[in-house]
Amino acid sequence: ERLSGLSQSELAVALYCAAGLSPRVICLLLDCTPSALYNKKYRLKGKIRACGAPAEEVEKLIALVD
């Protein structure tokens, strides 16, 4: 609920990362370069940190994206 402001692209990145897909596979699925994926993940982690969730929950979500 706190992350309801994420775009479809950001949700896809989060779900693919949480599913354990490799960066190469994620890039193929999203049709992006590795540097673009890195930037997407960086921005996604920033939004997760700013969502106002408890610190423990934020760390768990960020761990899924890394």
Side-chain angles (χ1 to χ4, degrees):
E1 184 178 302
R2 291 184 175 131
L3 296 174
S4 62
L6 296 180
S7 69
Q8 291 294 334
S9 177
E10 291 167 332
L11 284 173
V13 170
L15 292 173
Y16 291 153
C17 289
L21 298 179
S22 71
R24 183 175 181 166
V25 171
I26 296 172
C27 286
L28 288 171
L29 291 170
L30 297 177
D31 191 29
C32 68
T33 64
S35 61
L37 178 60
Y38 174 84
N39 289 333
K40 288 175 191 262
K41 288 172 67 173
Y42 180 82
R43 286 190 300 272
L44 177 59
K45 288 187 263 186
K47 285 188 176 184
I48 291 170
R49 285 186 185 99
C51 75
E56 183 178 301
E57 187 177 327
V58 167
E59 292 306 315
K60 287 180 183 179
L61 291 170
I62 289 181
L64 289 174
V65 175
D66 274 340

